[in-house]
Amino acid sequence: MSIKHRIRLGLYTVAKWTGMFAVCRLLMRRRLLILGYHGFQFTDEASFRPALFMRQQRFADRLAMLARGGYPVLPLAEGVRHLKNGTLPANAVVIVIDDGFFSVLDLAAPMLNKHGFPATLYVTSYYVTKGTPVFRLAVQYLFWKTKVTSLELPDRPWSSGVDVDLGDADAAYKAMWHIIDYGEANCDEEQRLEICAEVATALGLDFGTIITERGLSLLTPDELCRLEDFGIDVQLHTHRHIFPANDPVQARSELRENRMVLERILGRRLEHFCYPSGVWACDLLPVLAKEGIVSATTCQAGMNDQATNPLALYRILDQDNLHDIEFEAELTGFCELLRIVSGQRRCTDKGHCADI
Ligand SMILES: [Zn+2]
């Protein structure tokens, strides 16, 4: 842990025990906090990408904290409606989950259901229709998990053709992205699976286990339909997880394809959206409005008030390596106060964040 991080934790602890958290909770009670998650851990995914996967115990602790603190957890549509009308209950929270990993149904849904907390799952539909692990994530996971120190790939168009010393971080990174870029540009899913299997073998790993465990796979159409039983509402996140800020035509086409696939599966109208990778710009807001989108969440950190544009909502992306007191500082609005005081809020008309 860095010194800066230790100082921050110390500051939060002092703020909590001097009553600042309680004061902020009162000051920020009319603001809507949207909490964002992605996938959940079956084996070691949270160690691989703590911003993308969360351990079950960590998530259970978060939900317990919400319940203990008496934070009303609202469905997204209800939260957005109350925000617009100025009728939010005090300290309201909305839970959203991005992408549509299998672990949401298998691990998170029963935990949310136990507390009676609703949630929204923003689903990117390409891999829902394919049923295979997310290619770029799978390749990165293999390179992270391997214990071998040098990589000898077979002679293939996707391999860089030279042995790679995996102790050399730059060389490993280049070799990994060469495979991902080639596979994404030139191959179909069947070929990508073959690539993953060959890379796994070269790295001393078993890709079959990764396919079976489904830690890096999304939900199937049938599984998406089962989410409703747990109070989880499926909404939009583009088909291929892209929404280019400089290309409104492609952005609209991504939204429409995503909507067509998901509405066919679910048999109902979808009208809430999450910008993939948090990439958004003001130019895209009219595209969403024309398509009848009611709300859209970004990755910009913050709470929402009545003046927030519903097509550029702030969120707090929770992650596995966020300490309990950091989470509590967000919940109570203490972090929001710091953002307002330091002028970090409301300064941009575009943004992005790291994602799959
Ligand atoms: Zn996403």
Side-chain angles (χ1 to χ4, degrees):
M1 193 188 292
S2 68
I3 292 185
K4 208 172 153 189
H5 193 190
R6 277 175 205 271
I7 291 171
R8 189 162 65 235
L9 295 186
L11 168 72
Y12 291 164
T13 307
V14 170
K16 178 176 176 171
W17 296 116
T18 53
M20 277 303 288
F21 275 17
V23 170
C24 287
R25 189 173 163 162
L26 196 67
L27 287 174
M28 303 295 172
R29 69 189 181 284
R30 294 293 159 223
R31 297 184 183 223
L32 177 66
L33 175 65
I34 303 178
L35 286 174
Y37 296 87
H38 290 84
F40 301 87
Q41 169 168 287
F42 285 111
T43 53
D44 53 6
E45 296 89 345
S47 303
F48 161 55
R49 293 282 286 274
L52 199 57
F53 296 98
M54 183 171 275
R55 285 170 291 164
Q56 294 174 58
Q57 189 55 54
R58 177 71 88 194
F59 191 55
D61 292 347
R62 298 294 204 242
L63 298 183
M65 203 183 287
L66 285 169
R68 219 172 31 243
Y71 292 89
V73 180
L74 307 180
L76 173 68
E78 207 176 299
V80 169
R81 194 172 58 245
H82 281 306
L83 180 67
K84 187 179 164 200
N85 298 337
T87 53
L88 276 173
N91 304 113
V93 170
V94 163
I95 297 174
V96 296
I97 309 171
D98 293 12
D99 301 329
F101 284 100
F102 169 63
S103 54
V104 174
L105 175 66
D106 209 47
L107 303 177
M111 295 162 82
L112 287 159
N113 199 236
K114 191 180 132 199
H115 288 282
F117 289 162
T120 287
L121 180 66
Y122 295 118
V123 174
T124 182
S125 40
Y126 174 84
Y127 280 102
V128 168
T129 64
K130 298 296 177 189
T132 53
V134 178
F135 174 67
R136 62 165 51 195
L137 203 55
V139 175
Q140 290 174 73
Y141 179 74
L142 292 169
F143 271 79
W144 169 80
K145 195 175 171 74
T146 187
K147 296 278 185 282
V148 305
T149 52
S150 93
L151 175 64
E152 293 174 38
L153 289 170
D155 188 17
R156 300 280 187 271
W158 48 264
S159 87
S160 44
V162 289
D163 294 351
V164 182
D165 172 11
L166 295 177
D168 179 343
D170 279 351
Y173 184 85
K174 269 187 198 152
M176 182 180 81
W177 277 101
H178 180 80
I179 295 167
I180 295 172
D181 290 341
Y182 185 91
E184 290 190 342
N186 303 292
C187 302
D188 59 23
E189 282 314 311
E190 203 174 318
Q191 292 166 322
R192 289 175 190 166
L193 282 180
E194 283 168 23
I195 293 174
C196 285
E198 289 201 83
V199 172
T201 305
L203 290 169
L205 299 165
D206 176 20
F207 189 59
T209 314
I210 293 167
I211 294 179
T212 324
E213 284 173 352
R214 297 187 61 199
L216 308 179
S217 298
L218 303 192
L219 292 153
T220 64
D222 283 349
E223 288 163 349
L224 284 182
C225 293
R226 286 169 49 202
L227 288 168
E228 204 178 339
D229 298 341
F230 294 93
I232 297 181
D233 174 39
V234 170
Q235 292 293 341
L236 304 162
H237 196 39
T238 73
H239 189 59
R240 293 173 194 79
H241 208 264
I242 45 169
F243 199 63
N246 57 356
D247 189 345
V249 174
Q250 199 197 345
R252 187 173 58 229
S253 141
E254 275 295 326
L255 173 64
R256 285 185 176 175
E257 194 168 359
N258 184 222
R259 190 177 231 168
M260 188 186 70
V261 171
L262 294 179
E263 289 186 352
R264 194 179 290 159
I265 293 169
L266 299 162
R268 63 182 173 81
R269 188 72 173 155
L270 305 183
E271 53 191 15
H272 297 275
F273 177 75
C274 170
Y275 297 92
S277 306
V279 176
W280 73 282
C282 278
D283 294 349
L284 292 171
L285 271 51
V287 174
L288 294 178
K290 262 192 193 159
E291 296 295 311
I293 297 299
V294 172
S295 79
T297 47
T298 68
C299 291
Q300 266 195 294
M303 295 171 109
N304 301 282
D305 59 26
Q306 217 173 344
T308 308
N309 188 326
L311 296 181
L313 291 167
Y314 294 93
R315 285 198 294 178
I316 297 302
L317 291 180
D318 194 4
Q319 52 188 56
D320 194 75
N321 53 11
L322 200 70
H323 195 283
D324 277 351
I325 198 146
E326 292 176 285
F327 182 72
E328 201 179 347
E330 288 290 2
L331 267 189
T332 55
F334 181 71
C335 290
E336 183 69 354
L337 181 72
L338 294 184
R339 280 189 283 268
I340 293 169
V341 170
S342 63
Q344 280 178 34
R345 212 169 163 268
R346 309 213 169 282
C347 56
T348 62
D349 58 0
K350 58 181 188 284
H352 75 281
C353 74
D355 202 333
I356 62 173

